[in-house]
Amino acid sequence: MDVTPVANLIGEFTDGAQKIGPGLAGLVFITSGLQLLIGHLIGSSRGQELGKAGMIASVLGLVAVFFAPQIMATVHTAFGS
């Protein structure tokens, strides 16, 4: 099974994501931090949980975008021709 077209498509996507990823992750992190702060100030435990989850997700998303090329290279080596 040749996964070259899929690997190329994902490679193009990750190239684009690496360009906008840091700015977008920073914006999501700040927004989630504000949500956490507001949730804490008004005593909303659900708001605090969502704020924490957003902050964690922004960091994990940024890490995933930067490690995607290595992951795709490994998959391509395992299944590609």
Side-chain angles (χ1 to χ4, degrees), residues 23-35 51 54-56 58-59:
L24 188 60
L27 179 66
V28 171
F29 190 84
I30 290 171
T31 306
S32 297
L34 288 172
Q35 182 178 4
M55 294 171 81
I56 292 169
S58 67
V59 172

Side-chain angles (χ1 to χ4, degrees), residues 20-73:
I20 66 168
L24 188 60
L27 179 66
V28 171
F29 190 84
I30 290 171
T31 306
S32 297
L34 288 172
Q35 182 178 4
L36 176 64
L37 176 65
I38 292 169
H40 181 71
L41 291 176
I42 65 171
S44 169
S45 62
R46 181 71 178 146
Q48 292 175 27
E49 291 173 13
L50 289 173
K52 290 176 195 175
M55 294 171 81
I56 292 169
S58 67
V59 172
L60 291 177
L62 187 61
V63 169
V65 165
F66 284 106
F67 282 112
Q70 291 89 356
I71 294 168
M72 286 311 299

